[in-house]
Amino acid sequence: VSFTDYAPTFLEAAGLKPLSVMTGMSLLPLLTGRTSRHRDMVFLERERHANVRRGNLSYPCRAVRTREFLYIRNLRPDRWPSGDPEKYVAVGPFGDVDGGPAKDVILNRRDEPEMARFFRLSFEKRPAEELYDLVKDPGELNNVADQPSYAAAKRRLRSTLDRWMKETSDPRAASEDDPWDRYPYAGG
């Protein structure tokens, strides 16, 4: 299921035909039991979520998720995915992660051996490619992208993601440019 499926679902539930330009698929056949499968894969994109990096920088990534795997391409692995470690604008450190007791404990105890793993998983920079075996690791904790036994799956998913980016005219398929970083942030 993808967020893009909501609008076609609501339209069909209201007795209207979804527009042909919509990329989502109605969930009604799944919800009414006419089918038990909806789609084989879901594609994901991320650019800028909040103003949490100095210079108003984004954290662009693209991903494809199947029943077996999640493949993520981090397009700017030199940036912090959870926001800069120091407070920027109006949010605290690592501002893409909402504040709360769990975040406070992890950040305050990040140097302790029992917390270092949680800090790494939650806040550290990510490699250019991540691959998770959802059958063996449904919690997506172990990146297997560099393991030789997963090379074929990584190659297949990388190719699938490249094809989808081209088919959908994703600007990142054709350019290394970061135009999103030059747009003013709506919040200020």
Side-chain angles (χ1 to χ4, degrees):
V1 172
S2 175
F3 188 76
T4 61
D5 298 332
Y6 291 174
T9 302
F10 298 149
L11 288 170
E12 187 176 340
L16 302 170
K17 185 176 175 148
L19 302 173
S20 62
V21 296
M22 291 182 157
T23 57
M25 299 166 40
S26 174
L27 295 166
L28 278 187
L30 186 64
L31 296 172
T32 59
R34 292 184 299 209
T35 185
S36 61
R37 294 193 63 146
H38 181 60
R39 51 169 89 233
D40 295 329
M41 61 186 66
V42 173
F43 295 92
L44 307 123
E45 301 172 287
R46 177 182 178 187
E47 284 297 333
R48 189 165 49 178
H49 174 70
N51 196 357
V52 296
R53 283 172 207 82
R54 190 154 309 288
N56 195 27
L57 300 178
S58 64
Y59 188 79
C61 62
R62 303 293 185 266
V64 57
R65 186 193 189 284
T66 66
R67 290 184 185 281
E68 298 84 22
F69 294 103
L70 170 63
Y71 170 77
I72 303 169
R73 183 176 303 146
N74 296 302
L75 299 165
R76 297 291 177 260
D78 57 310
R79 298 178 186 172
W80 297 92
S82 299
D84 285 348
E86 57 282 328
K87 180 180 176 178
Y88 182 65
V89 184
V91 295
F94 300 106
D96 252 354
V97 176
D98 290 338
K103 180 180 179 181
D104 292 343
V105 167
I106 293 170
L107 289 181
N108 291 335
R109 297 176 55 199
R110 72 179 96 181
D111 295 326
E112 297 175 17
E114 63 273 8
M115 280 296 168
R117 178 174 181 250
F118 296 108
F119 177 78
R120 187 177 64 256
L121 289 169
S122 301
F123 301 106
E124 281 192 352
K125 292 179 180 177
R126 304 278 186 243
E129 291 181 295
E130 296 176 75
L131 179 66
Y132 298 93
D133 182 332
L134 302 177
V135 175
K136 294 179 181 175
D137 177 26
E140 303 167 15
L141 299 174
N142 302 300
N143 181 7
V144 296
D146 291 333
Q147 293 184 17
S149 60
Y150 288 94
K154 183 172 82 169
R155 218 175 11 258
R156 184 180 75 251
L157 292 165
R158 182 191 297 139
S159 175
T160 298
L161 184 62
D162 287 341
R163 187 173 44 255
W164 176 79
M165 288 173 68
K166 288 176 184 150
E167 288 170 0
T168 59
S169 300
D170 185 331
R172 293 217 182 257
S175 173
E176 292 287 318
D177 188 28
D178 279 318
W180 295 269
D181 291 345
R182 294 187 297 276
Y183 298 149
Y185 187 74

